[in-house]
Amino acid sequence: MQRWRDMADIPEDWGRSVVTIGSYDGVHRGHQLIIGRAVAHARELGLPTVVVTFDPHPKEVTRPGSHPPLLAPHPRRAELMAGLGVDAVLVLPFTKEFSQLPPAEFVVKVLVEKLHARAVVEGPNFRFGHRAAGTVGTLAELGGTYGFDVVVVDLVESGAAGGGEPFSSSLVRRLISEGDVRGAAEALGRPHRLEGIVVHGARRGRELGIPTANLDTVPHSAVPADGVYAGWLTAAGERMPAAISVGTNPHFGGTRRTVEAYALDRTDLDLYDQWVAVDFHSFVRGQQAFDTLEELLDRMGEDIRRVRELTRES
């Protein structure tokens, strides 16, 4: 799959394509419906599929400081989109100047002159252009002028997560913030993942015989509520069952919030400065302080046994 960080990266001989536009943070099951329809339509036409997305998140430019928690960094989104059959991803730098483009100018500059869109596939609530003035109706009108079709995917995907609320990035963020990683996984179609570099911590886990990988997560990452979770740690292509701790380590009087993962039965790992991923399977218990170190160790042993059971089931 081709990845373009700017319109200047698009090959000069790029032909017609089928395009879908959006932040697509998380590439959740609702997003998958739209992207899947775009891929299917492109294959019917014998054309490539292009996803257009933005960096940073538009809210961070239009309302600085309001960046929503990030469900997946752009490289991860591209990986997920490639798995859906997408041929190219264009990540447009979202600047204040870009945010002020009127809908018609956005269509001409991006869809017509650069991507030569044959069709554009979107959900019914798609908005674009300055002050989000453009709608799918606007897009259809402009398509009539510039020679592309507009396909609206008016389907709602939902499940038990959130009490049956339609899947959306906002729902997934809320579930994660509540520690409901099982619900988030249902909406995403896979476990929620955090990625980052392993950095040095207080080394208490190693001293206790339970060494943990302390993640310096991607900025703005959607970190689950404080507690202990069952999941997996992936490093250097190896996926290992893991007990994951999120919080401030209250037993030791900690104040800085961290994400740490212990790969079960693995005391031989040296992961410092490596890029790793942590996938959350289920919530085990809330964060707490203990009266003695022995109580803490006993509870950690129980946590590890529970994590082993939960990850073995999956």
Side-chain angles (χ1 to χ4, degrees), residues 13 63 75 107 120 132 160 183 188 203 208 218 220 257 286 312:
D13 60 351
R63 288 183 292 164
V107 165
V120 180
L188 289 167
R203 300 179 68 87
L208 297 173
V218 174
H220 304 296
R257 198 162 183 249
R312 186 182 294 132

Side-chain angles (χ1 to χ4, degrees), residues 223-251:
V223 178
D226 290 357
V228 176
Y229 296 83
W232 295 271
L233 170 67
T234 299
E238 184 179 3
R239 189 171 188 254
M240 299 163 279
I244 307 159
S245 174
V246 178
T248 59
N249 291 309
H251 181 81

Side-chain angles (χ1 to χ4, degrees), residues 20 24 27-41 84 121-124 151-158 166-167 187-188:
T20 183
Y24 288 126
V27 194
H28 58 67
R29 286 169 58 186
H31 293 153
Q32 292 167 30
L33 286 176
I34 299 171
I35 296 171
R37 178 66 65 84
V39 170
H41 193 59
L84 296 172
V121 180
E122 297 296 341
V151 178
V152 179
V153 181
D154 196 6
L155 297 175
V156 175
E157 186 84 353
S158 63
F167 295 150
L188 289 167

Side-chain angles (χ1 to χ4, degrees), residues 4 28 41 55 110-111 133 188 209 212 237 256 274 281 313:
W4 306 320
H28 58 67
H41 193 59
D55 189 30
V110 180
L111 298 179
L188 289 167
T212 60
R256 187 173 66 87
Q274 289 191 37
H281 176 275
E313 295 169 2

Side-chain angles (χ1 to χ4, degrees), residues 56-68 94-96 99-100 220:
H57 192 284
K59 285 186 179 180
E60 185 63 19
V61 174
T62 58
R63 288 183 292 164
S66 65
H67 196 301
F94 198 88
T95 62
K96 187 172 183 178
S99 74
Q100 294 172 345
H220 304 296

